[in-house]
Amino acid sequence: MKELISVLIVEDDELHTELIKRAFEDERWARFKLRFSSNLMEARIYMEDKKPDIVICDWLLPDGRGIELFSPDKERLSYPIIMMTSYGNEELAVETIKAGALDYLVKSPEAFAGLPDFILRGLREWEHIRARYAAENKLRDVLLQTVESLASMLEKRDPYTSGHQKKVSVLACAIAEEMGLPAEIIEGIHISAILHDIGKISIPAEFLSKPGRLSPIEFDIIKTHPFNAYEMLKSIDFPYPVAQIILQHHEKLDGSGYPYGLLGPDILLEARIIAVADVVEAISSHRPYRPALGIQYALEEIAQNAGKLYDREVVEACLTLFCERGFSLDSIREW
């Protein structure tokens, strides 16, 4: 642990502030460098400028609740925050921890007296938490690298769809973001979309690159690729239902899709999002059996079939991206 420990204490009660100061008067706690603030605005300015080692914040302050100090992105918080309250109950504790607090402390003379030790324990716990986050992020990076390697293997085998899975993944994630879905669902969509055609690795290459129309038998074989992918991926312990999402990405709301002809309510939202992204990219790009039809044709297809074949909310988000946000598939780079 660092030689000096910078502590920001956000407390507007003068008596409580005095009790906290007294707790640190012992020479054992000379390594603590205390900074006091009485409101959220002042605290935010200090936090952005100085980056304290730990923040101790009152639950209720003149300009708002202490919980407002937390960033929506908990991963970006580089220091722990401990909340102080004048009363303790389970509901408040749950709200505090969900917001990202390391811990919470019920105010009392005894609690203030033990605050230096409480902070030291909190900092030790924070070090363990940060180490765990770092390990998890490293594993996540390895997972994504492995996923992208698998996808690139398929695209080397099927050069006509080179970049297809990457573009579908980028578009699907953009749709999910436009819909306001949480980060963990978007990451599941990212992985599933990158691998959505991996089942084609078991399809004869001559079917994938055939310049003319496929025969009914050939097309039936092509249609096995979602199930092939499911069989390949179902035993991998992804943190998301990747195998199930990929299995369903060719299903349609009206039951006309494959492999099982599922109806709208039975199709995972992630699969409905990838289905729209897949159709848009495929229609607008060149294929062995036809030239590219263009993005306008693709958008007309999903707009005309919104609520019939494709999820209406997903289609609306996709149209918003292209028509209002300036999204372009051409700007997406291949691996």
Side-chain angles (χ1 to χ4, degrees), residues 246-287:
I246 294 174
L247 179 64
Q248 297 180 6
H249 82 275
H250 276 295
E251 300 287 358
K252 299 292 189 292
L253 296 189
D254 64 356
S256 63
Y258 60 88
Y260 294 121
L262 299 178
L263 293 172
D266 299 321
I267 305 170
L268 293 171
L269 175 59
E270 296 95 327
R272 283 179 263 156
I273 291 172
I274 292 173
V276 168
D278 189 27
V279 166
V280 169
E281 201 289 324
I283 289 177
S284 61
S285 301
H286 172 77
R287 289 294 180 269

Side-chain angles (χ1 to χ4, degrees), residues 38 51 89 102 119 146 162 172 261 273 283 296 317:
S38 61
K51 300 292 187 297
N89 60 59
L102 176 67
I119 289 174
T146 303
S162 180
I273 291 172
I283 289 177
Q296 193 56 44

Side-chain angles (χ1 to χ4, degrees), residues 148 151-152 155 161-171 190 194 281 327-335:
E148 292 187 359
S152 65
E155 294 190 346
T161 56
S162 180
H164 169 68
Q165 294 184 115
K166 177 69 174 289
K167 290 180 179 180
V168 170
S169 178
V170 172
L171 175 55
H190 170 61
I194 283 180
E281 201 289 324
F327 186 91
S328 171
L329 290 170
D330 294 335
S331 65
I332 300 171
R333 296 180 180 180
E334 298 176 13
W335 282 287

Side-chain angles (χ1 to χ4, degrees), residues 21-297:
K21 288 179 179 178
R22 289 181 188 177
F24 289 87
E25 287 177 349
D26 191 296
E27 61 180 15
R28 290 179 301 159
W29 312 127
R31 61 196 292 203
F32 286 97
K33 181 182 178 183
L34 305 184
R35 169 65 184 250
F36 288 88
S37 176
S38 61
N39 60 74
L40 290 174
M41 182 181 294
E42 187 179 288
R44 286 194 186 98
I45 293 171
Y46 183 82
M47 290 165 68
E48 291 175 6
D49 184 41
K50 300 298 184 182
K51 300 292 187 297
D53 293 312
I54 191 166
V55 177
I56 314 295
C57 185
D58 192 10
W59 175 260
L60 192 60
L61 292 156
D63 53 345
R65 299 194 306 163
I67 205 169
E68 295 171 27
L69 285 180
F70 294 102
S71 165
D73 185 358
K74 298 176 193 175
E75 295 290 329
R76 294 180 61 191
L77 195 62
S78 58
Y79 40 78
I81 299 180
I82 293 174
M83 298 299 298
M84 294 189 298
T85 68
S86 296
Y87 53 91
N89 60 59
E90 187 175 338
E91 183 179 337
L92 184 146
V94 170
E95 183 179 359
T96 299
I97 300 302
K98 277 187 175 180
L102 176 67
D103 207 340
Y104 82 106
L105 184 71
V106 179
K107 294 179 181 180
S108 70
E110 294 77 19
F112 291 139
L115 191 54
D117 281 320
F118 190 83
I119 289 174
L120 290 176
R121 288 195 301 272
L123 286 172
R124 284 193 292 269
E125 182 180 348
W126 183 250
E127 287 178 359
H128 294 315
I129 290 171
R130 298 303 293 177
R132 189 180 73 241
Y133 280 158
E136 289 173 353
N137 286 336
K138 186 173 182 179
L139 285 173
R140 175 182 172 276
D141 290 343
V142 171
L143 170 64
L144 293 177
Q145 290 167 11
T146 303
V147 164
E148 292 187 359
S149 294
L150 285 171
S152 65
M153 285 171 55
L154 173 64
E155 294 190 346
K156 285 182 174 64
R157 185 171 181 266
D158 181 18
Y160 289 99
T161 56
S162 180
H164 169 68
Q165 294 184 115
K166 177 69 174 289
K167 290 180 179 180
V168 170
S169 178
V170 172
L171 175 55
C173 289
I175 291 171
E177 289 177 5
E178 182 67 28
M179 293 172 66
L181 298 182
E184 58 270 20
I185 290 182
I186 295 174
E187 183 162 89
I189 290 171
H190 170 61
I191 292 174
S192 302
I194 283 180
L195 292 175
H196 77 276
D197 274 345
I198 194 68
K200 287 182 179 178
I201 205 163
S202 61
I203 304 295
E206 59 269 26
F207 292 0
L208 300 176
S209 57
K210 184 176 179 179
R213 181 179 293 275
L214 293 170
S215 71
I217 293 176
E218 290 169 336
F219 186 54
D220 283 342
I221 292 173
I222 291 284
K223 286 163 65 176
T224 65
H225 78 271
F227 184 76
N228 296 340
Y230 176 78
E231 288 294 301
M232 291 170 61
L233 302 172
K234 66 180 182 180
S235 60
I236 300 177
D237 188 21
F238 288 106
Y240 322 98
V242 170
Q244 198 68 33
I245 293 169
I246 294 174
L247 179 64
Q248 297 180 6
H249 82 275
H250 276 295
E251 300 287 358
K252 299 292 189 292
L253 296 189
D254 64 356
S256 63
Y258 60 88
Y260 294 121
L262 299 178
L263 293 172
D266 299 321
I267 305 170
L268 293 171
L269 175 59
E270 296 95 327
R272 283 179 263 156
I273 291 172
I274 292 173
V276 168
D278 189 27
V279 166
V280 169
E281 201 289 324
I283 289 177
S284 61
S285 301
H286 172 77
R287 289 294 180 269
Y289 48 88
R290 60 149 175 82
L293 300 177
I295 189 62
Q296 193 56 44
Y297 190 98

